[in-house]
Amino acid sequence: MAADPTPILELIDGFRRSKTLFAAVKLGIFDGSRPLGFATVRLLEACVGLGLLEKRGSEFVNSALADQYLRSHRPESLAGYARSAGNGLYERWGHLEQAVIDGAVTQSPAREPAPEAYRDFVAGMHAFGLLSSPRVAAAFDLSRFRKFVDLGGCTGHLALAIQQLYPDIKIGVFDVPPVIEAAREYTGSRAELFAGNFFADPLPAADLYGLGKVLHNQTEPNIRILLERIRAALPDGGGLLIAERLLDEDRSGPLHVHLSSLNMLVAAGGVERTFSEYRTLLEAAGFHGVRCQKTGVLVDAIFAQK
C-alpha cells in the first residue's frame, strides 16, 4: 500500500500559507483595511480558510485568534513579527541552498534599517517575549539578586517579567541606540535604559545579567569574548540568565529549533546549540554551577554563576 503523500504536499505548499499571512498583515487586513482591487476577496477568503477571518453575511471579520495576535495596536500583537519576517526573512530564505553550501548567506553591503523596520523588529521581539519571558523568569530562584540588566534586552520584556516576580529588584536594559529608542514606549519608567555595544562599551553594574536570544546570533569566538566581559563585570556570586532555543542532546529535535537554526544561517550567520554546548562555553569562560531548565515554551533557560 502506497504511503500517504499528504505530508509532503503540505510541506511543498507551506510557503503559500506564510505568504498569505504576510500579505494580509502588510495590507492591514486585520486592522480593518480593505484594499481596492479585484483580487482582495480572494485574499480575504484565503484568510477565512486559515482561520484568521470569519465571514458574516457579506462582511469579513477577524477571528478571535487574529483579533488578539494580529491587530497592530494590541500589546501582544505578532503583526510586527509577521511584517519583519515577510519583509526580510522571507527573501533571505530564498537563498537557503547557497547558504548551506557556503556556510552563510553572502551579505550585501550593510545599510541602516529604516525606522519602520526597527519598529517592526522591536514589536515582534516584544510579542515573542511576552509568550516566553514569564517562564524564563520563573525557571530559577533569583530572589537573592538586587539588580538585573538584560544585555541585548530589546523592549525589556524579560526584565519586566523578572520584576513582576521580584518587585524589589531593580532592572535595566542594554541594547543598541535605535532599539533603546524604540523600547522606551514599552518600559516607561520601570526600567533603566542603556544604549551601547556590549562588545565595546562598559557594561552597566549589576549582580545578575541576562542574555535573551543573543548567543545564537554569535560565533563561538564572539561568545567567548562576551562571556568573559560579563564575568569580569559581575561581582563574586553574581549570575547570568540565558534564554535560548535548545536542541536535544542527541540533536534529534525539536523541529522548531532546527528550523530556527536554519533561520540563523540565512539571517545572521548564527546557530542553535545544545545545553551541553552552552555549558562548555560558559565553563570555559570561568562560570560554574551551570544549570538548564526546560520551560515548555519556545525558549529554555540556562543559569550560570561567577
Side-chain angles (χ1 to χ4, degrees):
M1 183 176 179
D4 181 4
T6 300
I8 291 177
L9 293 172
E10 289 179 345
L11 286 171
I12 291 171
D13 291 342
F15 76 94
R16 301 181 189 184
R17 295 170 179 255
S18 296
K19 190 58 179 174
T20 298
L21 169 62
F22 298 157
V25 169
K26 188 171 184 177
L27 292 172
I29 296 298
F30 305 110
D31 292 325
S33 176
R34 296 294 182 264
L36 296 176
F38 292 112
T40 301
V41 172
R42 291 159 68 178
L43 177 61
L44 299 177
E45 289 174 339
C47 288
V48 171
L50 291 174
L52 303 176
L53 293 178
E54 297 173 358
K55 192 171 184 181
R56 298 178 184 171
S58 61
E59 294 191 2
F60 294 86
V61 299
N62 289 349
S63 68
L65 183 67
D67 209 51
Q68 181 172 2
Y69 290 113
L70 293 176
R71 292 179 66 184
S72 297
H73 75 279
R74 296 293 294 263
E76 68 270 43
S77 175
L78 292 165
Y81 193 11
R83 281 192 297 270
S84 185
N87 291 337
L89 289 177
Y90 186 80
E91 180 182 355
R92 287 180 177 268
W93 271 78
H95 303 284
L96 177 60
E97 300 92 337
Q98 197 60 47
V100 170
I101 293 169
D102 296 341
V105 168
T106 301
Q107 302 289 334
S108 57
R111 295 181 299 173
E112 185 70 15
E116 61 270 18
Y118 263 120
R119 286 193 294 271
D120 285 341
F121 171 78
V122 169
M125 292 303 97
H126 182 73
F128 187 97
L130 291 180
L131 296 174
S132 59
S133 287
R135 295 283 190 92
V136 173
F140 304 101
D141 181 3
L142 307 175
S143 58
R144 65 186 175 86
F145 296 106
R146 294 293 172 260
K147 185 169 184 181
F148 172 75
V149 173
D150 198 6
L151 305 174
C154 199
T155 61
H157 48 79
L158 179 56
L160 294 170
I162 286 175
Q163 192 179 63
Q164 184 72 24
L165 286 177
Y166 306 101
D168 293 334
I169 197 170
K170 295 181 180 179
I171 58 172
V173 179
F174 184 99
D175 215 316
V176 294
V179 173
I180 287 295
E181 189 59 36
R184 294 184 188 280
E185 64 181 276
Y186 295 92
T187 62
S189 61
R190 292 172 290 177
E192 194 173 359
L193 301 179
F194 306 93
N197 181 322
F198 47 49
F199 286 111
D201 298 318
L203 302 182
D207 60 350
L208 176 65
Y209 287 115
L211 288 173
K213 296 182 66 181
V214 168
L215 298 183
H216 73 163
N217 285 331
Q218 307 297 331
T219 63
E220 289 198 7
N222 279 350
I223 290 176
R224 287 193 287 270
I225 292 170
L226 181 56
L227 292 180
E228 288 169 2
R229 296 196 85 221
I230 291 171
R231 186 180 182 279
L234 281 171
D236 289 342
L240 174 61
L241 179 65
I242 296 170
E244 289 287 358
R245 299 179 192 249
L246 295 178
L247 284 167
D248 295 337
E249 290 299 324
D250 64 1
R251 308 186 72 85
S252 62
L255 175 60
H256 76 90
V257 185
H258 285 300
L259 295 178
S260 180
S261 197
L262 288 177
N263 191 62
M264 299 313 300
L265 174 65
V266 301
V271 64
E272 304 294 357
R273 300 175 173 87
T274 66
F275 167 61
S276 292
E277 289 172 316
Y278 281 119
R279 181 173 58 195
T280 297
L281 289 165
L282 286 159
E283 290 177 346
F287 287 92
H288 67 90
V290 183
R291 294 176 284 153
C292 169
Q293 183 67 47
K294 293 296 182 72
T295 64
V297 291
L298 290 175
V299 295
D300 296 309
I302 299 171
F303 179 81
Q305 184 172 317
K306 177 174 175 178

